[in-house]
Amino acid sequence: MTGVRDAVAVAHRREWARVLAATVRVTRDLDLAEECVQDAYAAALDSWARDGVPDRPAAWLTTAARHNALDALRRAATLRAKLPLLVEPAPDRPVADDPLRLVFLCCHPALSPEAQVALTLRLVCGVPTPDVAAAFLVPPATMAARITRAKKKIAAARIPFRMPAPAELPERLDAVLTTIHLLFTTGHTAPSGESLTRVSCAERALELARLLRELVPDSREVRGLLALLLAGHARRATRTDASGRLLLLSEQDRSRWDRGALAEADELVVSALRGGPPGRFALQAAIAMLHASAPSYSETDWPQILVLYDELAKVWPSPVVALNRTVAVAMVDGPAQALAEVTELEDDRRLSGYRYLPAIKADLLRRLGRFPEAAGCYAEALRLTENEAERAFLADRLAEMRERDAPG
């Protein structure tokens, strides 16, 4: 049974978006489609244990979910009137860009930007609602209500399940880029769970970014996003040791970074920076590539990274950008200057509950030898963190600070 559960889990990680998208083609109702797909995965546990895991799990799940959808529609009194309008002929093979089509459905301008991203993370990527809430720094109940309202709005507005026309793309693109980036971030460092990463989310984000580049090859921001994701993913294997312990960038074995992915990212970011002022994804990719191209952590071009952060803050004045910038400030101007800027950011309510703020402050205090204050900040970061790999790292640092502060 363990083998079957593993097979279902793998199919969930890899195929959720495709199965859901295929089912939305039938139902035109996100709630009903999601329910039918969940039932299909539940049925797979019994069926695959009895009959064996099928050769094509995604096809099995898609067929099961479609049958569930048609059964549900047949039970509805309005089937005879609505079915001809709702049902599209099922394609013989999975449609390659269906997951991207689903992203565009969720990122329709009828929804608020926050709802677009949240709905995509939940529906397209299968990210649990509490983890979506963590990405937005809001309580899970608030996020659940936001997602429910978004689905109802799509149903009420009868938003079609199709790829936008070329004229519609500009107003839809930014939300899709933001969503794919957040999906990657959720996979790069999982908001909760035992593992530091959630690889399926990161890989799905990369897949979506590649599909998006095929759709809009001339977009510099799409190239920047793909470069940013590749630069992050290239380091994945070195971000923890064999026991799962988190390794800082300064501790990672750079010889094990994926050079093929970095070469592709480098080519993309160079083209993304040409042709006018760069956008936020091109700038973030440029920062990532400066890290990736440095021979060692100490030889990183920190002054240039700080210049890029200053430019990024102009086009994307986010408090998270301001906080990340302080890491570069610490390397260029020293930890005391960075600490002053972090302290100012503590007044920004948007960072309330953001675990990386006390974590960065703790590191700066540690470097300044202010161990009791550093211990307090590590304890606060530990309280806010639900990822076990991060918790273990913070707990070690907290113990180190208390040991250094102990009477000799």
Side-chain angles (χ1 to χ4, degrees), residues 16-330:
W16 169 268
R18 284 194 173 81
V19 177
L20 182 64
T23 310
V24 170
R25 284 180 178 278
V26 176
T27 66
R28 292 293 198 241
D29 181 309
L30 288 174
D31 271 332
L32 178 57
E34 190 179 16
E35 181 181 333
C36 293
V37 173
Q38 288 170 343
D39 288 346
Y41 275 96
L45 286 172
D46 291 333
S47 178
W48 295 4
R50 183 180 62 248
D51 303 328
V53 177
D55 293 336
R56 298 169 59 207
W60 190 98
L61 289 161
T62 301
T63 300
R66 279 181 177 151
H67 286 165
N68 293 342
L70 290 172
D71 285 345
L73 290 171
R74 286 192 188 96
R75 288 194 295 270
T78 55
L79 170 66
R80 188 175 299 278
K82 289 188 175 179
L83 192 57
L85 300 176
L86 296 175
V87 178
E88 281 188 357
D92 295 333
R93 297 180 179 178
V95 179
D97 64 359
D98 252 4
L100 186 59
R101 195 185 304 260
L102 198 52
V103 173
F104 273 104
L105 173 68
C106 295
C107 293
H108 194 276
L111 304 178
S112 69
E114 293 81 7
Q116 293 170 358
V117 178
L119 188 62
T120 306
L121 288 174
R122 177 69 195 96
L123 282 184
V124 181
C125 311
V127 178
T129 299
D131 286 355
V132 180
F136 280 86
L137 309 177
V138 299
T142 300
M143 182 51 65
R146 186 179 296 174
I147 290 173
T148 298
R149 285 196 300 272
K151 286 193 285 190
K152 287 181 177 178
K153 196 162 189 175
I154 285 178
R158 295 177 177 272
I159 295 172
F161 180 61
R162 63 169 174 77
M163 206 64 86
E168 298 174 296
L169 278 174
E171 68 170 336
R172 309 279 292 277
L173 197 54
D174 188 64
V176 172
L177 288 166
T178 300
T179 297
I180 295 174
H181 182 228
L182 265 179
L183 171 61
F184 183 82
T185 302
T186 301
H188 192 64
T189 302
S192 61
E194 298 291 327
S195 173
L196 178 66
T197 60
R198 190 173 289 166
V199 177
S200 60
C201 286
E203 291 179 340
R204 191 165 297 166
L206 267 171
E207 175 193 7
L208 290 168
R210 290 191 186 282
L211 287 171
L212 193 59
R213 192 185 173 218
E214 290 177 12
L215 182 68
V216 279
D218 295 333
S219 169
R220 295 165 59 208
E221 277 294 80
V222 171
R223 276 178 262 156
L225 175 71
L226 181 54
L228 176 62
L229 269 51
L230 284 167
H233 206 54
R235 297 193 291 107
R236 179 169 61 85
T238 65
R239 295 181 63 228
T240 55
D241 64 14
S243 64
R245 185 178 72 88
L246 185 155
L247 297 177
L248 297 174
L249 184 59
S250 57
E251 302 171 313
Q252 294 171 15
D253 180 357
R254 293 174 182 240
S255 68
R256 294 177 57 212
W257 288 356
D258 185 337
R259 294 297 158 187
L262 291 177
E264 182 182 359
D266 186 61
E267 185 177 335
L268 286 164
V269 77
V270 168
S271 66
L273 291 171
R274 288 178 180 154
R280 65 177 168 123
F281 291 109
L283 287 166
Q284 288 181 87
I287 292 170
M289 287 309 297
L290 278 177
H291 283 295
S293 61
S296 66
Y297 189 76
S298 62
E299 296 175 272
T300 304
D301 189 348
W302 291 106
Q304 183 62 26
I305 287 177
L306 187 54
V307 168
L308 289 171
Y309 265 118
D310 288 339
E311 293 302 310
L312 179 60
K314 293 175 186 173
V315 300
W316 190 27
S318 153
V320 173
V321 170
L323 181 63
N324 292 340
R325 179 183 172 277
T326 63
V327 176
V329 171

